[in-house]
Amino acid sequence: MAAATGIFSSSSSPSVKFSPKPLTRQLTPPHSFLTRSSLLKLHSLSRHVSCSSSSSNDNSISSVYLTKTDLTKDPKTLWNRYTTWLYQHKELGLYLDVSRIGFTDSFVDSMEIKFQKAFQHMQLLEKGAIANPDEGRMVGHYWLRNADLAPTPSLKRLIDTTLDDVCKFADDVITGKIKPPSSPEGRFTQILSVGIGGSALGPQFVAEALAPDNPPLKIRFIDNTDPAGIDHQIAQLGPELASTLVIVISKSGGTPETRNGLLEVQKAFREAGLDFSKQGVAITQENSLLDNTARLEGWIARFPMFDWVGGRTSEMSAVGLLPAALQSIDIRGMLSGAALMDEATRSTELRNNPAALLALSWYWASDGVGSKDMVVLPYKDSLLLFSRYLQQLVMESLGKEFDLDGNRVNQGLSVYGNKGSTDQHAYIQQLREGVHNFFVTFIEVLCDRPPGHDWELEPGVTCGDYLFGMLQGTRSALYAKDRESITVTVQEVTPRTVGALVALYERAVGIYASLVNINAYHQPGVEAGKKAAGEVLALQKRVLAVLNEATCKDPVEPLTLDEIADRCHAPEDIEMIYKIIMHMAANDRAIIAEGTCGSPRSIKVFLGECTVDELYV
């Protein structure tokens, strides 16, 4: 029976049962370096294998031959497994099917201790334990949808007050109580949201999923420091810039991309003769640079970001709730759905905890070391951006070099996706017949259209039936080739189900992180990238200072790359200096006097004009 043995063919060799502790710690010599390939081999012992267990050394690995067999295709066995493992949340109308993931009952039993530890971690986190030891911070996004869980009365009041303030502000904007000073419309008609990462991906996903066809305010996003992209968004607003509410979102207030977007928007306002402060809103931490700027300049509103909410889990804070409320999206419905899912994912019984079932499936499918990618395929146009949202939530949380014990593990789980049935004409060909380096998550929505609006394209078949058929057909076709999959099903896309989906994956990430012993709530790699970018810009200023000095000579002294690097006292950075020069020349900020960028050693360069002050120093 599938419920007893999993879904591998019965002809497979006897399984090796997982020990509750990671196999890498039992089977490798002390202080040895665990390579990714060795981790893959060790964790793959959870599969059905044949092995010879004789060994003269407790720390050595016996001969192991991985022989993962085909998944069973017997319909009765699969139906039994489906009914055994199907999870349903009746109140939310949400189902989770993990029957097409090949874990065995012995594997599930062996993971029980790990899961109980993970459940304890989640309980402590919700009670206010320091869950991010690097920064000494609590992690409290669960409190946002149930303030009664907050560890102190003052935090509860702050959460409740912020929600009330968001709702009141949105209502005042929509009804015209708060209006722009120069708009002929007499009210705000557009939102321009300036933010990046978690300050953009969540609001973008929710807007695409839930905004009505004709919202009271339409939303646009500046979520990068690409000048052309910024110009495009501002140009698309046209004269409606005068009736645009600009929401600037930055936790620290110093995120370079967000700061740049703000400066570009303020410039556009000045050129249009508009007072930005009368149309600006800040969402940031109290007393941050952005908060102080907004207060001193008299922006029309400021809303808090909390120290204990990370960007990728901030959708249920003012970051996500304010833009949604301004589009007439039911934000209390989102919070209600998230709270219901939070309650379900507090269960300490694996089969009754949908987030734990997801984490179990991820662990099995990727060998607990990210050996396979997660392909997210929502079969609903409005959920197109869900895969992008999950990319940050999952990859920024789980992509870690070191575990909590200081071992280098290079953990992670890669996420990408499209939408059904567009995927049929994109990359399903490779998923079915190409490299087997993935598992799939299907997102299914049962309701095609509002009641009374459907019609048959042909006898017995609607447009939505085709979409349903594509999903089920793709799932079956992939499984026939031993491609594992998860299916998450909701009745319809509503604020409650979107809130529930966000909460489901937030908890799944936390549980999985505990299973693999990593910190899901920091991002040192992101900080390293920011630091490196800052060093490039600092080098660019030195290059400009050197070029400016040479340009101010009479006659002008064009410099070679070697000369620039030498005068910058950075000969080791000559390649980066070349790239800086190439970028500046493409934007008419430097002149190539001799040679071409295609032959770096041939070029001599100077600036177009001499700057007499010390602007570049």
Side-chain angles (χ1 to χ4, degrees), residues 309-595:
V309 176
R312 56 187 173 277
T313 56
S314 64
E315 178 54 32
M316 302 295 169
S317 72
V319 169
L321 297 181
L322 179 60
L326 288 165
Q327 297 168 83
S328 285
I329 295 170
D330 178 11
I331 60 173
R332 293 189 185 273
M334 285 176 56
L335 292 167
S336 171
L340 286 169
M341 181 54 69
D342 286 342
E343 186 63 33
T345 58
R346 290 188 189 104
S347 172
T348 58
E349 185 179 349
L350 174 60
R351 290 173 186 251
N352 289 327
N353 185 325
L357 289 173
L358 282 179
L360 174 76
S361 300
W362 297 353
Y363 196 103
W364 170 270
S366 72
D367 300 300
V369 292
S371 62
K372 296 211 175 148
D373 303 338
M374 178 164 62
V375 181
V376 180
L377 297 176
Y379 274 67
K380 199 70 172 179
D381 284 4
S382 62
L383 297 180
L384 170 64
L385 297 184
F386 191 46
S387 59
R388 285 184 61 194
Y389 172 76
L390 289 182
Q391 270 184 334
Q392 186 197 22
L393 176 63
V394 174
M395 295 177 72
E396 196 169 77
S397 297
L398 302 182
K400 302 296 159 64
E401 182 176 6
F402 297 99
D403 68 12
L404 291 172
D405 297 325
N407 299 312
R408 180 177 281 111
V409 291
N410 297 112
Q411 272 288 354
L413 196 59
S414 297
V415 179
Y416 62 93
N418 201 330
K419 66 177 181 180
S421 63
T422 301
D423 62 277
Q424 293 292 137
H425 305 277
Y427 49 75
I428 289 297
Q429 169 64 31
Q430 176 168 314
L431 296 188
R432 189 170 191 272
E433 298 185 0
V435 182
H436 189 183
N437 60 350
F438 68 92
F439 64 98
V440 173
T441 297
F442 293 103
I443 310 294
E444 178 184 30
V445 180
L446 295 177
C447 183
D448 297 327
R449 281 188 170 122
H453 289 75
D454 222 343
W455 64 286
E456 294 184 349
L457 303 174
E458 55 191 79
V461 180
T462 67
C463 191
D465 292 339
Y466 272 98
L467 188 64
F468 168 78
M470 289 292 186
L471 187 157
Q472 299 301 332
T474 301
R475 175 176 176 268
S476 297
L478 292 178
Y479 187 75
K481 288 286 189 176
D482 297 321
R483 272 57 170 164
E484 295 172 297
S485 68
I486 300 164
T487 301
V488 179
T489 300
V490 295
Q491 289 286 338
E492 54 187 325
V493 180
T494 66
R496 272 164 59 100
T497 55
V498 166
L501 286 172
V502 169
L504 171 63
Y505 278 88
E506 285 178 347
R507 183 83 74 176
V509 162
I511 293 174
Y512 184 86
S514 179
L515 296 181
V516 298
N517 194 37
I518 59 172
N519 179 4
Y521 305 107
H522 70 162
Q523 49 281 333
V526 176
E527 300 308 317
K530 292 178 181 178
K531 180 181 178 182
E535 291 170 354
V536 170
L537 295 176
L539 176 61
Q540 177 172 303
K541 289 184 177 181
R542 287 154 61 194
V543 169
L544 282 167
V546 166
L547 287 175
N548 185 65
E549 182 180 356
T551 301
C552 290
K553 290 183 178 181
D554 188 14
V556 171
E557 181 188 12
L559 299 178
T560 66
L561 289 176
D562 286 315
E563 289 170 335
I564 297 170
D566 183 62
R567 296 185 191 187
C568 287
H569 306 289
E572 71 282 1
D573 292 324
I574 191 167
E575 181 178 329
M576 185 58 67
I577 290 171
Y578 163 68
K579 291 181 179 295
I580 289 169
I581 295 296
M582 189 163 58
H583 179 247
M584 290 171 55
N587 289 277
D588 298 326
R589 297 165 62 204
I591 297 174
I592 305 296
E594 294 181 21

Side-chain angles (χ1 to χ4, degrees), residues 105-123:
D105 278 6
S106 60
F107 171 76
V108 174
D109 291 342
S110 71
M111 294 292 288
E112 181 63 26
I113 293 177
K114 279 180 173 287
F115 272 100
Q116 291 306 318
K117 182 179 178 181
F119 296 148
Q120 291 173 8
H121 285 171
M122 293 297 101
Q123 291 169 0

Side-chain angles (χ1 to χ4, degrees), residues 19 23 120 143 155 199 289 328 377 455 555:
S19 166
L23 288 169
Q120 291 173 8
W143 311 331
L155 282 182
S199 297
L289 177 62
S328 285
L377 297 176
W455 64 286

Side-chain angles (χ1 to χ4, degrees), residues 172-183 185-188 242-243 245 278-279 300:
D172 287 348
V173 169
I174 291 170
T175 58
K177 282 187 179 180
I178 297 176
K179 61 184 68 177
S182 307
S183 170
E185 300 284 344
R187 65 179 186 86
F188 284 106
S243 58
L245 186 71
K278 304 302 181 186
Q279 296 176 227
I300 57 177

